[in-house]
Amino acid sequence: MGRNTLSKFIKRTYFRFTGYSYTNLGRLFLRLFVGIMFMQFGIRQIMDFQHLCDHFPAILGMDSTTTLIVMTCIELICSTFIMFGFLTRFMTLPPFISMIVAEYYLLQKFGEATYLLDWQQQGYLPIMFLGIFFFIMLVGPGKISVDYFLSLHIIHTENKSEGELEEV
């Protein structure tokens, strides 16, 4: 009897770790993680604004101060929306575009010496954020998000069934 109980326990544990999928919780974690990581850049830029105004690159025809203000707004506002899961797919677009521009700027700055970048330099950060933002755009915010609850509210006010709501 003890051996049978141990066998059932091992099977249950195995299925809990391999068979169950915690996709919505995983999406929440990823949104919170990337939001906090991206937001810290905006906070640091606010704290060191005067110094950065002189050294921040001027991109897309804007002067360095305007570029810094735009980047800080993108980092703070979009991160907050992404963490709450509100307008998630739309709010990943500005950071996604800004990371493309940042990577382009880094490639232009280092020129042909980009292969000299090591993992500790900032050259890999835009690519990492691009991958995470693309994933969030692809899979959506999940069920633990404002987007999902607003979708449920809209469906219920239009007297439709929840079956019409695909995975958010």
Side-chain angles (χ1 to χ4, degrees), residues 8-22:
K8 285 182 181 179
F9 173 75
I10 290 172
K11 287 178 185 178
R12 258 195 332 260
T13 306
Y14 176 77
F15 284 122
R16 189 158 307 269
F17 283 112
T18 60
Y20 291 117
S21 178
Y22 302 102

Side-chain angles (χ1 to χ4, degrees), residues 20-33:
Y20 291 117
S21 178
Y22 302 102
T23 58
N24 293 307
L25 196 58
R27 291 180 199 182
L28 172 65
F29 171 78
L30 187 64
R31 284 192 346 259
L32 292 175
F33 176 77

Side-chain angles (χ1 to χ4, degrees), residues 27 31 81-82 85-96 133-142 147 166-168:
R27 291 180 199 182
R31 284 192 346 259
F81 276 62
I82 290 168
F86 181 56
L87 302 173
T88 308
R89 286 185 168 128
F90 178 71
M91 284 296 158
T92 55
L93 289 176
F96 189 82
F133 289 133
F134 182 75
F135 180 78
I136 291 172
M137 277 191 278
L138 196 64
V139 300
D147 287 342
E166 290 186 25
E167 189 73 27
V168 175

Side-chain angles (χ1 to χ4, degrees), residues 75-144:
E75 290 162 354
L76 294 175
I77 294 168
C78 293
S79 293
T80 303
F81 276 62
I82 290 168
M83 287 190 292
F84 282 110
F86 181 56
L87 302 173
T88 308
R89 286 185 168 128
F90 178 71
M91 284 296 158
T92 55
L93 289 176
F96 189 82
I97 293 168
S98 70
M99 290 297 101
I100 290 172
V101 171
E103 184 63 25
Y104 177 77
Y105 173 77
L106 285 171
L107 290 174
Q108 293 300 320
K109 181 180 176 183
F110 290 105
E112 293 183 19
T114 54
Y115 63 88
L116 295 176
L117 290 174
D118 65 13
W119 67 272
Q120 295 174 332
Q121 292 174 318
Q122 291 183 350
Y124 288 105
L125 284 176
I127 296 296
M128 180 194 71
F129 279 116
L130 278 170
I132 294 171
F133 289 133
F134 182 75
F135 180 78
I136 291 172
M137 277 191 278
L138 196 64
V139 300
K143 289 184 177 181
I144 310 171

